[in-house]
Amino acid sequence: MGELAVGKHVKYILSVEKRKDSFVSVVMDHIRMNGAYWGLTTLDLLGKLNTVDEDEVISWIMECQHESGGFAGNIGHDPHILYTLSAVQVLALFNKLDILDVDQIATYVSGLQNEDGSFSGDMWGEVDTRFSYIAICCLSILRRLDEINVEKAVNYIVSCKNLDGGFGCTPGGESHAGQIFCCVAALAITGSLHHVDKDRLGWWLCERQIKSGGLNGRPEKLPDVCYSWWVLSSLIMIDRVRWIDKEQLVKFILDCQDVENGGISDRPEDAVDVFHTYFGVAGLSLLEYPGLKAIDPAYAVPVDV
Ligand code: GRG
């Protein structure tokens, strides 16, 4: 089994930021705040956050904030609850939450809660359990969970639980590992994990491991490095991580590295990107790979943050 190419991955992440006119940068322009969260959290897990210009990052983040309190994916774009969480998470990495107007952000996030307890992602109203997690995680980091109706938020998430023990986007939606992470983490943060059928969900989640050692996100689908995060963090939160073969998963993630130019891809031999580099390294952190900072499975930031 190879080793994690730490130096190469650091170089890769720093180089992505510099290639502003590349095809990838152009098509990712509107979600740059997400890219910043993935790239900077990876650097922090690798112990290399000091390789970036902190002041430059922070002033760009603050330029993405709107009067409503919400943050956009980049300057000149519309605010969304997802980029708001990413902005808060990145500021937390730099221990700079004190520069935020917490009341303003709490008003923005709590204003997106609907009558049935669900959350919309922005003013256009799409509802999804991803947004329930994001609201709960963001307000909890800012210590403002009391701004929303937590009981209704939890009841809505529970209404998205399926007979297989998993969770979907909305009531009746198919169980998917990404949504399961969102629902389980939101329930963990609000102290409501008793709503989860841990054995049933643990079984569904550990069935995601296929022969190559990698994990898929739902039955009959291809494995993808990102599920090393969505599945593993959920198994840890429900205390069933011993049900998968950790060594095989470490091997799968390491096989997805570009050991020459850095970066991690979804599957071996595919093209690398920052999203999979982050979730690969975050997965290895959950697997206690040597030399990496530990990451919190619910808040998705290093434990020391
Ligand atoms: C702070 C970690 C963190 C997350 C913020 C945005 C979000 C909250 C969570 C997203 C959860 C989610 C739905 C993840 C899945 C992403 C993904 C790879 C979707 C691909 O879906 P399909 O149907 O792929 O294309 P499959 O693997 O099912 O074929």
Side-chain angles (χ1 to χ4, degrees):
M1 192 190 317
E3 287 193 351
L4 184 65
V6 173
K8 300 271 171 142
H9 297 323
V10 172
K11 257 197 191 155
Y12 164 71
I13 290 167
L14 297 174
S15 75
V16 170
E17 177 47 28
K18 290 196 179 77
R19 277 180 271 149
K20 290 220 170 73
D21 55 350
S22 72
F23 174 75
V24 173
S25 296
V26 173
V27 295
M28 300 262 296
D29 188 64
H30 63 298
I31 61 162
R32 193 162 175 246
M33 189 68 78
N34 266 171
Y37 161 70
W38 300 326
L40 294 167
T41 310
T42 308
L43 290 178
D44 200 7
L45 292 171
L46 297 171
K48 296 284 189 243
L49 192 58
N50 58 2
T51 52
V52 295
D53 183 337
E54 176 179 330
D55 293 340
E56 198 186 316
V57 175
I58 292 171
S59 71
W60 167 74
I61 289 180
M62 295 315 289
E63 276 189 74
C64 294
Q65 193 175 25
H66 284 245
E67 261 174 37
S68 60
F71 288 79
N74 206 341
I75 298 167
H77 288 264
D78 291 340
H80 192 281
I81 198 169
L82 172 58
Y83 308 123
T84 305
L85 172 64
S86 294
V88 167
Q89 287 170 313
V90 172
L91 290 171
L93 295 181
F94 291 113
N95 197 17
K96 280 285 179 337
L97 288 177
D98 54 341
I99 67 168
L100 290 173
D101 181 341
V102 172
D103 289 339
Q104 197 193 15
I105 301 176
T107 303
Y108 172 76
V109 174
S110 60
L112 292 169
Q113 188 170 30
N114 303 307
E115 200 37 51
D116 62 358
S118 66
F119 280 84
S120 299
D122 61 11
M123 63 181 287
W124 304 108
E126 181 192 3
V127 168
D128 190 309
T129 45
R130 278 177 301 159
F131 309 143
S132 301
Y133 162 72
I134 290 170
I136 286 170
C137 182
C138 187
L139 291 176
S140 174
I141 291 174
L142 299 174
R143 300 185 197 284
R144 288 300 173 87
L145 262 185
D146 54 343
E147 300 267 341
I148 56 165
N149 187 328
V150 173
E151 193 184 339
K152 275 190 168 186
V154 166
N155 288 342
Y156 181 77
I157 291 169
V158 173
S159 76
C160 298
K161 185 161 81 169
N162 292 319
L163 288 172
D164 57 18
F167 295 83
C169 311
T170 48
E174 179 190 2
S175 294
H176 185 286
Q179 305 298 145
I180 292 173
F181 158 78
C182 292
C183 295
V184 171
L187 295 175
I189 292 171
T190 54
S192 315
L193 279 177
H194 55 277
H195 290 292
V196 179
D197 183 340
K198 294 182 183 150
D199 285 340
R200 193 180 289 256
L201 177 58
W203 179 243
W204 190 93
L205 287 169
C206 77
E207 284 275 285
R208 307 279 54 78
Q209 188 161 36
I210 63 161
K211 274 199 184 121
S212 65
L215 305 170
N216 61 19
R218 45 190 166 144
E220 306 302 327
K221 289 289 199 154
L222 292 173
D224 183 319
V225 155
C226 75
Y227 295 116
S228 313
W229 170 264
W230 311 114
V231 173
L232 210 56
S233 57
S234 305
L235 280 169
I236 290 173
M237 288 185 277
I238 61 167
D239 193 20
R240 297 292 183 278
V241 74
R242 62 189 178 280
W243 289 3
I244 62 151
D245 187 330
K246 289 185 179 183
E247 209 174 306
Q248 284 292 334
L249 181 55
V250 170
K251 184 179 174 312
F252 176 80
I253 300 172
L254 294 177
D255 283 348
C256 294
Q257 300 183 98
D258 179 335
V259 287
E260 270 171 39
N261 302 309
I264 298 176
S265 55
D266 54 357
R267 285 177 281 283
E269 311 301 336
D270 280 357
V272 303
D273 59 66
V274 183
F275 174 86
H276 290 96
T277 304
Y278 168 50
F279 287 111
V281 171
L284 288 172
S285 165
L286 292 175
L287 290 159
E288 300 174 56
Y289 189 88
L292 295 179
K293 275 195 187 181
I295 189 162
D296 186 279
Y299 289 96
V301 286
V303 171
D304 64 352
V305 171

